[in-house]
Amino acid sequence: MGKKRKQPEKEVSVKKEETAPERPERTLLGWKDKDADVEEKQQNGDSPFFRNKEKLLVTCSRRISYRFRHLMLNMVSLLPHCKKDSKIEAKESKGSTLNELVELKSCSSCLFFECRKGKDLYLWVAKSPNGPSVKFLVDAVHTMEELKLTGNHLKGSRPLLTFSSNFEKDAHWRMLKELLIQTFGTPKDHRKAKPYHDHVFVFSLLDDHIWFRNYQISVPHNETDKVDRGGLDKMTLVEVGPRFCLNPIKIFAGSFGGPTLFDNPFYVSPNERRAADKRKKAGKYAHKVKAKTRRKAHEQDNPLQPDEYADMWKGE
């Protein structure tokens, strides 16, 4: 047999593998490698990715009583955009400590519950780091555990904020209204907030005090009583709690201090009230002592006449 002729080698065309590009790393704020346009939009605030800038830090001072601690925990459960931290010593330097803590927690607002003498509760509401801030005296505290009301709403839902019309009468009330809106209002599209509005925070201004109430929006869901869109006449409000009253003391230009923008002229400290009650009780006791002295002097000046029948039954 003859040998096979050697065939010429055919050029084999090797096709390049069409592989998908490597997927960039995903973070909480979006894709890690963004192009220049997205970065520019993000710097201008027009980013399609939600960046949570409004966070609230909730903390308290050491040696706080159990009722005030329960009130703080009730507020933590009502505000899904808040962060809770450990207790802080209530000293004169607490402002700088709180500002550093707010910055470390990446928060923009702060609620600080400060307890004095185990019986007086003060609430600081501050915007960090540039202010303003306000100091309240908290009165008429009633927690959810004490009230045991029938209202119940979804935990983590966004609240509606309502204010009475007299918040617009003075400049300091308008400032407090805006501060409360930015503090208690849950940001839209927050990752911990539920997409529902089933309760409402009510801030009422009466006798220069701010009264806080929390109500559930109760809507009938039966087929016969189904509420139409905008049918507010069939909706009812059921109170959930807690309840408390805020008495503004001072408004500061900075965060936890700075120049005083407003000083409440009608504010009376709890120490002054307790001192007045003690003086009142002391005056009542002194009045009793004087009355006894006058009675004894009257009996000495006006002795009783001897009774003619006093010795009638002594012989028997």
Side-chain angles (χ1 to χ4, degrees), residues 24 64 82-83 97 104 106 119 146 154 157 182 193 195 197 214 221 247 252 264 278 280 282 287 289 301 309 311 315:
I64 190 172
C82 74
K83 291 184 178 182
T97 305
L104 288 174
S106 300
K119 60 183 83 172
E146 294 175 349
L154 183 68
S157 59
Q182 296 186 21
H197 293 280
N214 179 28
H221 291 286
N247 184 11
F252 301 97
N264 189 359
K278 286 184 178 180
K280 189 175 180 181
H287 180 71
V289 172
D301 296 340
Y309 301 106
D311 301 332

PDB file of all heavy atoms in Angstrom, residues 24 64 82-83 97 104 106 119 146 154 157 182 193 195 197 214 221 247 252 264 278 280 282 287 289 301 309 311 315:
ATOM      1  N   PRO A  24     -20.220  43.690  39.499  1.00  0.00           N
ATOM      2  CA  PRO A  24     -19.618  44.510  40.559  1.00  0.00           C
ATOM      3  C   PRO A  24     -20.197  44.154  41.921  1.00  0.00           C
ATOM      4  O   PRO A  24     -21.263  43.542  42.031  1.00  0.00           O
ATOM      5  CB  PRO A  24     -19.978  45.939  40.158  1.00  0.00           C
ATOM      6  CG  PRO A  24     -21.184  45.794  39.302  1.00  0.00           C
ATOM      7  CD  PRO A  24     -21.037  44.482  38.578  1.00  0.00           C
ATOM      8  N   ILE A  64     -31.769  56.480  85.981  1.00  0.00           N
ATOM      9  CA  ILE A  64     -33.119  56.842  85.553  1.00  0.00           C
ATOM     10  C   ILE A  64     -34.106  55.878  86.192  1.00  0.00           C
ATOM     11  O   ILE A  64     -33.801  54.694  86.398  1.00  0.00           O
ATOM     12  CB  ILE A  64     -33.217  56.824  84.013  1.00  0.00           C
ATOM     13  CG1 ILE A  64     -34.539  57.444  83.547  1.00  0.00           C
ATOM     14  CG2 ILE A  64     -33.050  55.423  83.454  1.00  0.00           C
ATOM     15  CD1 ILE A  64     -34.613  57.640  82.048  1.00  0.00           C
ATOM     16  N   CYS A  82     -34.889  55.124  64.657  1.00  0.00           N
ATOM     17  CA  CYS A  82     -34.044  55.519  65.784  1.00  0.00           C
ATOM     18  C   CYS A  82     -33.024  54.429  66.098  1.00  0.00           C
ATOM     19  O   CYS A  82     -33.180  53.266  65.723  1.00  0.00           O
ATOM     20  CB  CYS A  82     -34.898  55.817  67.018  1.00  0.00           C
ATOM     21  SG  CYS A  82     -35.570  54.356  67.828  1.00  0.00           S
ATOM     22  N   LYS A  83     -31.976  54.841  66.812  1.00  0.00           N
ATOM     23  CA  LYS A  83     -30.952  53.948  67.323  1.00  0.00           C
ATOM     24  C   LYS A  83     -30.846  54.160  68.831  1.00  0.00           C
ATOM     25  O   LYS A  83     -30.823  55.302  69.293  1.00  0.00           O
ATOM     26  CB  LYS A  83     -29.587  54.228  66.677  1.00  0.00           C
ATOM     27  CG  LYS A  83     -29.504  53.854  65.219  1.00  0.00           C
ATOM     28  CD  LYS A  83     -28.097  54.089  64.708  1.00  0.00           C
ATOM     29  CE  LYS A  83     -27.961  53.667  63.253  1.00  0.00           C
ATOM     30  NZ  LYS A  83     -26.564  53.857  62.775  1.00  0.00           N
ATOM     31  N   THR A  97     -20.169  65.096  74.777  1.00  0.00           N
ATOM     32  CA  THR A  97     -20.229  63.630  74.699  1.00  0.00           C
ATOM     33  C   THR A  97     -21.351  63.177  73.776  1.00  0.00           C
ATOM     34  O   THR A  97     -21.175  62.266  72.949  1.00  0.00           O
ATOM     35  CB  THR A  97     -20.433  63.040  76.106  1.00  0.00           C
ATOM     36  OG1 THR A  97     -19.401  63.511  76.972  1.00  0.00           O
ATOM     37  CG2 THR A  97     -20.408  61.528  76.055  1.00  0.00           C
ATOM     38  N   LEU A 104     -20.720  59.466  65.795  1.00  0.00           N
ATOM     39  CA  LEU A 104     -20.255  58.091  65.640  1.00  0.00           C
ATOM     40  C   LEU A 104     -21.369  57.173  65.145  1.00  0.00           C
ATOM     41  O   LEU A 104     -21.114  56.236  64.385  1.00  0.00           O
ATOM     42  CB  LEU A 104     -19.705  57.563  66.973  1.00  0.00           C
ATOM     43  CG  LEU A 104     -18.362  58.143  67.437  1.00  0.00           C
ATOM     44  CD1 LEU A 104     -18.029  57.630  68.829  1.00  0.00           C
ATOM     45  CD2 LEU A 104     -17.257  57.774  66.461  1.00  0.00           C
ATOM     46  N   SER A 106     -23.731  58.059  63.176  1.00  0.00           N
ATOM     47  CA  SER A 106     -24.206  58.574  61.875  1.00  0.00           C
ATOM     48  C   SER A 106     -25.647  59.044  61.960  1.00  0.00           C
ATOM     49  O   SER A 106     -26.462  58.778  61.065  1.00  0.00           O
ATOM     50  CB  SER A 106     -24.059  57.504  60.795  1.00  0.00           C
ATOM     51  OG  SER A 106     -22.714  57.112  60.659  1.00  0.00           O
ATOM     52  N   LYS A 119     -36.872  61.697  90.254  1.00  0.00           N
ATOM     53  CA  LYS A 119     -38.286  62.050  90.156  1.00  0.00           C
ATOM     54  C   LYS A 119     -38.584  63.101  89.091  1.00  0.00           C
ATOM     55  O   LYS A 119     -39.753  63.282  88.745  1.00  0.00           O
ATOM     56  CB  LYS A 119     -38.783  62.552  91.513  1.00  0.00           C
ATOM     57  CG  LYS A 119     -38.067  63.782  92.026  1.00  0.00           C
ATOM     58  CD  LYS A 119     -38.546  64.187  93.413  1.00  0.00           C
ATOM     59  CE  LYS A 119     -37.852  63.399  94.481  1.00  0.00           C
ATOM     60  NZ  LYS A 119     -38.156  63.914  95.843  1.00  0.00           N
ATOM     61  N   GLU A 146     -48.928  51.118  81.743  1.00  0.00           N
ATOM     62  CA  GLU A 146     -49.852  51.628  82.752  1.00  0.00           C
ATOM     63  C   GLU A 146     -51.259  51.815  82.194  1.00  0.00           C
ATOM     64  O   GLU A 146     -52.240  51.506  82.856  1.00  0.00           O
ATOM     65  CB  GLU A 146     -49.341  52.959  83.302  1.00  0.00           C
ATOM     66  CG  GLU A 146     -48.053  52.875  84.087  1.00  0.00           C
ATOM     67  CD  GLU A 146     -47.550  54.237  84.494  1.00  0.00           C
ATOM     68  OE1 GLU A 146     -48.075  55.255  83.999  1.00  0.00           O
ATOM     69  OE2 GLU A 146     -46.613  54.283  85.294  1.00  0.00           O
ATOM     70  N   LEU A 154     -49.565  48.635  63.649  1.00  0.00           N
ATOM     71  CA  LEU A 154     -48.434  47.859  63.171  1.00  0.00           C
ATOM     72  C   LEU A 154     -47.131  48.481  63.655  1.00  0.00           C
ATOM     73  O   LEU A 154     -46.936  49.688  63.562  1.00  0.00           O
ATOM     74  CB  LEU A 154     -48.450  47.800  61.640  1.00  0.00           C
ATOM     75  CG  LEU A 154     -47.365  46.955  60.974  1.00  0.00           C
ATOM     76  CD1 LEU A 154     -47.580  45.493  61.276  1.00  0.00           C
ATOM     77  CD2 LEU A 154     -47.368  47.189  59.469  1.00  0.00           C
ATOM     78  N   SER A 157     -44.629  51.094  61.420  1.00  0.00           N
ATOM     79  CA  SER A 157     -45.325  51.865  60.396  1.00  0.00           C
ATOM     80  C   SER A 157     -45.032  53.355  60.553  1.00  0.00           C
ATOM     81  O   SER A 157     -44.702  53.825  61.635  1.00  0.00           O
ATOM     82  CB  SER A 157     -46.836  51.624  60.482  1.00  0.00           C
ATOM     83  OG  SER A 157     -47.313  51.996  61.761  1.00  0.00           O
ATOM     84  N   GLN A 182     -39.030  67.098  62.144  1.00  0.00           N
ATOM     85  CA  GLN A 182     -37.800  66.456  61.695  1.00  0.00           C
ATOM     86  C   GLN A 182     -37.338  65.349  62.640  1.00  0.00           C
ATOM     87  O   GLN A 182     -36.604  64.447  62.220  1.00  0.00           O
ATOM     88  CB  GLN A 182     -36.694  67.507  61.547  1.00  0.00           C
ATOM     89  CG  GLN A 182     -36.962  68.539  60.488  1.00  0.00           C
ATOM     90  CD  GLN A 182     -35.800  69.471  60.259  1.00  0.00           C
ATOM     91  OE1 GLN A 182     -34.666  69.150  60.592  1.00  0.00           O
ATOM     92  NE2 GLN A 182     -36.057  70.643  59.695  1.00  0.00           N
ATOM     93  N   ALA A 193     -38.933  50.822  58.043  1.00  0.00           N
ATOM     94  CA  ALA A 193     -40.304  51.311  58.146  1.00  0.00           C
ATOM     95  C   ALA A 193     -41.221  50.516  57.222  1.00  0.00           C
ATOM     96  O   ALA A 193     -40.837  50.133  56.113  1.00  0.00           O
ATOM     97  CB  ALA A 193     -40.372  52.796  57.797  1.00  0.00           C
ATOM     98  N   PRO A 195     -44.599  50.205  54.828  1.00  0.00           N
ATOM     99  CA  PRO A 195     -45.256  51.169  53.921  1.00  0.00           C
ATOM    100  C   PRO A 195     -46.725  51.383  54.254  1.00  0.00           C
ATOM    101  O   PRO A 195     -47.601  51.261  53.413  1.00  0.00           O
ATOM    102  CB  PRO A 195     -45.086  50.500  52.555  1.00  0.00           C
ATOM    103  CG  PRO A 195     -45.064  49.048  52.866  1.00  0.00           C
ATOM    104  CD  PRO A 195     -44.393  48.892  54.202  1.00  0.00           C
ATOM    105  N   HIS A 197     -49.636  53.788  56.810  1.00  0.00           N
ATOM    106  CA  HIS A 197     -49.928  54.907  57.711  1.00  0.00           C
ATOM    107  C   HIS A 197     -51.156  54.494  58.516  1.00  0.00           C
ATOM    108  O   HIS A 197     -52.296  54.761  58.117  1.00  0.00           O
ATOM    109  CB  HIS A 197     -50.196  56.205  56.938  1.00  0.00           C
ATOM    110  CG  HIS A 197     -49.005  56.745  56.231  1.00  0.00           C
ATOM    111  ND1 HIS A 197     -48.015  57.473  56.864  1.00  0.00           N
ATOM    112  CD2 HIS A 197     -48.631  56.666  54.938  1.00  0.00           C
ATOM    113  CE1 HIS A 197     -47.088  57.830  55.986  1.00  0.00           C
ATOM    114  NE2 HIS A 197     -47.436  57.349  54.816  1.00  0.00           N
ATOM    115  N   ASN A 214     -50.945  59.390  70.955  1.00  0.00           N
ATOM    116  CA  ASN A 214     -50.727  58.467  69.843  1.00  0.00           C
ATOM    117  C   ASN A 214     -52.018  57.686  69.623  1.00  0.00           C
ATOM    118  O   ASN A 214     -52.499  56.999  70.529  1.00  0.00           O
ATOM    119  CB  ASN A 214     -49.565  57.520  70.154  1.00  0.00           C
ATOM    120  CG  ASN A 214     -49.321  56.524  69.048  1.00  0.00           C
ATOM    121  OD1 ASN A 214     -49.604  56.795  67.883  1.00  0.00           O
ATOM    122  ND2 ASN A 214     -48.801  55.364  69.387  1.00  0.00           N
ATOM    123  N   HIS A 221     -63.026  46.806  57.752  1.00  0.00           N
ATOM    124  CA  HIS A 221     -62.601  46.047  56.576  1.00  0.00           C
ATOM    125  C   HIS A 221     -63.628  45.012  56.139  1.00  0.00           C
ATOM    126  O   HIS A 221     -63.320  44.144  55.332  1.00  0.00           O
ATOM    127  CB  HIS A 221     -61.269  45.342  56.859  1.00  0.00           C
ATOM    128  CG  HIS A 221     -60.126  46.290  56.996  1.00  0.00           C
ATOM    129  ND1 HIS A 221     -59.555  46.942  55.927  1.00  0.00           N
ATOM    130  CD2 HIS A 221     -59.456  46.739  58.097  1.00  0.00           C
ATOM    131  CE1 HIS A 221     -58.570  47.720  56.342  1.00  0.00           C
ATOM    132  NE2 HIS A 221     -58.493  47.631  57.657  1.00  0.00           N
ATOM    133  N   ASN A 247     -43.114  70.688  78.684  1.00  0.00           N
ATOM    134  CA  ASN A 247     -43.091  72.091  79.074  1.00  0.00           C
ATOM    135  C   ASN A 247     -41.755  72.678  78.614  1.00  0.00           C
ATOM    136  O   ASN A 247     -40.706  72.352  79.180  1.00  0.00           O
ATOM    137  CB  ASN A 247     -43.243  72.225  80.586  1.00  0.00           C
ATOM    138  CG  ASN A 247     -43.323  73.672  81.032  1.00  0.00           C
ATOM    139  OD1 ASN A 247     -43.473  74.573  80.212  1.00  0.00           O
ATOM    140  ND2 ASN A 247     -43.215  73.894  82.333  1.00  0.00           N
ATOM    141  N   PHE A 252     -32.000  76.614  72.442  1.00  0.00           N
ATOM    142  CA  PHE A 252     -30.615  77.015  72.206  1.00  0.00           C
ATOM    143  C   PHE A 252     -30.319  76.992  70.710  1.00  0.00           C
ATOM    144  O   PHE A 252     -30.894  76.198  69.944  1.00  0.00           O
ATOM    145  CB  PHE A 252     -29.647  76.078  72.933  1.00  0.00           C
ATOM    146  CG  PHE A 252     -29.846  76.026  74.417  1.00  0.00           C
ATOM    147  CD1 PHE A 252     -30.594  75.021  75.003  1.00  0.00           C
ATOM    148  CD2 PHE A 252     -29.298  77.000  75.244  1.00  0.00           C
ATOM    149  CE1 PHE A 252     -30.786  74.970  76.363  1.00  0.00           C
ATOM    150  CE2 PHE A 252     -29.484  76.959  76.617  1.00  0.00           C
ATOM    151  CZ  PHE A 252     -30.234  75.950  77.179  1.00  0.00           C
ATOM    152  N   ASN A 264     -38.428  80.512  78.601  1.00  0.00           N
ATOM    153  CA  ASN A 264     -39.829  80.510  79.016  1.00  0.00           C
ATOM    154  C   ASN A 264     -39.986  81.318  80.307  1.00  0.00           C
ATOM    155  O   ASN A 264     -39.461  80.930  81.356  1.00  0.00           O
ATOM    156  CB  ASN A 264     -40.298  79.071  79.227  1.00  0.00           C
ATOM    157  CG  ASN A 264     -41.794  78.983  79.437  1.00  0.00           C
ATOM    158  OD1 ASN A 264     -42.503  79.987  79.450  1.00  0.00           O
ATOM    159  ND2 ASN A 264     -42.295  77.769  79.601  1.00  0.00           N
ATOM    160  N   LYS A 278     -43.732  72.674 100.697  1.00  0.00           N
ATOM    161  CA  LYS A 278     -43.232  72.519 102.066  1.00  0.00           C
ATOM    162  C   LYS A 278     -43.532  73.750 102.916  1.00  0.00           C
ATOM    163  O   LYS A 278     -43.888  73.640 104.091  1.00  0.00           O
ATOM    164  CB  LYS A 278     -41.726  72.260 102.033  1.00  0.00           C
ATOM    165  CG  LYS A 278     -41.351  70.858 101.574  1.00  0.00           C
ATOM    166  CD  LYS A 278     -39.848  70.650 101.664  1.00  0.00           C
ATOM    167  CE  LYS A 278     -39.486  69.232 101.252  1.00  0.00           C
ATOM    168  NZ  LYS A 278     -38.009  68.990 101.325  1.00  0.00           N
ATOM    169  N   LYS A 280     -45.996  75.729 102.478  1.00  0.00           N
ATOM    170  CA  LYS A 280     -47.432  75.721 102.733  1.00  0.00           C
ATOM    171  C   LYS A 280     -47.780  74.765 103.868  1.00  0.00           C
ATOM    172  O   LYS A 280     -48.592  75.088 104.754  1.00  0.00           O
ATOM    173  CB  LYS A 280     -48.167  75.322 101.455  1.00  0.00           C
ATOM    174  CG  LYS A 280     -49.668  75.474 101.531  1.00  0.00           C
ATOM    175  CD  LYS A 280     -50.301  75.175 100.189  1.00  0.00           C
ATOM    176  CE  LYS A 280     -51.817  75.335 100.266  1.00  0.00           C
ATOM    177  NZ  LYS A 280     -52.467  75.022  98.967  1.00  0.00           N
ATOM    178  N   ALA A 282     -45.684  73.785 106.216  1.00  0.00           N
ATOM    179  CA  ALA A 282     -45.120  74.354 107.442  1.00  0.00           C
ATOM    180  C   ALA A 282     -46.019  75.445 107.995  1.00  0.00           C
ATOM    181  O   ALA A 282     -46.214  75.564 109.217  1.00  0.00           O
ATOM    182  CB  ALA A 282     -43.718  74.893 107.168  1.00  0.00           C
ATOM    183  N   HIS A 287     -49.987  77.230 112.080  1.00  0.00           N
ATOM    184  CA  HIS A 287     -51.338  77.717 112.367  1.00  0.00           C
ATOM    185  C   HIS A 287     -52.000  76.843 113.433  1.00  0.00           C
ATOM    186  O   HIS A 287     -52.707  77.359 114.331  1.00  0.00           O
ATOM    187  CB  HIS A 287     -52.158  77.711 111.074  1.00  0.00           C
ATOM    188  CG  HIS A 287     -53.552  78.194 111.251  1.00  0.00           C
ATOM    189  ND1 HIS A 287     -53.869  79.520 111.502  1.00  0.00           N
ATOM    190  CD2 HIS A 287     -54.739  77.527 111.242  1.00  0.00           C
ATOM    191  CE1 HIS A 287     -55.176  79.652 111.622  1.00  0.00           C
ATOM    192  NE2 HIS A 287     -55.735  78.451 111.464  1.00  0.00           N
ATOM    193  N   VAL A 289     -50.442  75.153 115.855  1.00  0.00           N
ATOM    194  CA  VAL A 289     -49.791  75.439 117.137  1.00  0.00           C
ATOM    195  C   VAL A 289     -50.329  76.744 117.727  1.00  0.00           C
ATOM    196  O   VAL A 289     -50.627  76.835 118.940  1.00  0.00           O
ATOM    197  CB  VAL A 289     -48.263  75.498 116.961  1.00  0.00           C
ATOM    198  CG1 VAL A 289     -47.591  75.996 118.231  1.00  0.00           C
ATOM    199  CG2 VAL A 289     -47.724  74.126 116.577  1.00  0.00           C
ATOM    200  N   ASP A 301     -58.388  82.435 130.843  1.00  0.00           N
ATOM    201  CA  ASP A 301     -59.067  83.715 131.085  1.00  0.00           C
ATOM    202  C   ASP A 301     -60.552  83.534 131.380  1.00  0.00           C
ATOM    203  O   ASP A 301     -61.171  84.396 132.036  1.00  0.00           O
ATOM    204  CB  ASP A 301     -58.892  84.636 129.875  1.00  0.00           C
ATOM    205  CG  ASP A 301     -57.437  85.010 129.643  1.00  0.00           C
ATOM    206  OD1 ASP A 301     -56.640  84.893 130.602  1.00  0.00           O
ATOM    207  OD2 ASP A 301     -57.092  85.395 128.489  1.00  0.00           O
ATOM    208  N   TYR A 309     -74.204  70.253 140.811  1.00  0.00           N
ATOM    209  CA  TYR A 309     -74.578  68.839 140.896  1.00  0.00           C
ATOM    210  C   TYR A 309     -73.369  67.909 140.798  1.00  0.00           C
ATOM    211  O   TYR A 309     -73.512  66.719 140.565  1.00  0.00           O
ATOM    212  CB  TYR A 309     -75.546  68.484 139.763  1.00  0.00           C
ATOM    213  CG  TYR A 309     -76.809  69.296 139.784  1.00  0.00           C
ATOM    214  CD1 TYR A 309     -77.018  70.298 138.852  1.00  0.00           C
ATOM    215  CD2 TYR A 309     -77.793  69.057 140.762  1.00  0.00           C
ATOM    216  CE1 TYR A 309     -78.177  71.053 138.863  1.00  0.00           C
ATOM    217  CE2 TYR A 309     -78.961  69.811 140.780  1.00  0.00           C
ATOM    218  CZ  TYR A 309     -79.142  70.796 139.814  1.00  0.00           C
ATOM    219  OH  TYR A 309     -80.298  71.537 139.849  1.00  0.00           O
ATOM    220  N   ASP A 311     -71.248  66.908 143.161  1.00  0.00           N
ATOM    221  CA  ASP A 311     -71.077  65.988 144.282  1.00  0.00           C
ATOM    222  C   ASP A 311     -72.361  65.252 144.655  1.00  0.00           C
ATOM    223  O   ASP A 311     -72.524  64.740 145.770  1.00  0.00           O
ATOM    224  CB  ASP A 311     -70.597  66.755 145.509  1.00  0.00           C
ATOM    225  CG  ASP A 311     -69.252  67.462 145.228  1.00  0.00           C
ATOM    226  OD1 ASP A 311     -68.524  66.927 144.380  1.00  0.00           O
ATOM    227  OD2 ASP A 311     -68.981  68.469 145.861  1.00  0.00           O
ATOM    228  N   GLY A 315     -71.960  60.165 147.616  1.00  0.00           N
ATOM    229  CA  GLY A 315     -72.254  59.427 148.826  1.00  0.00           C
ATOM    230  C   GLY A 315     -72.695  58.003 148.586  1.00  0.00           C
ATOM    231  O   GLY A 315     -72.651  57.176 149.494  1.00  0.00           O
TER     232      GLY A 315
END
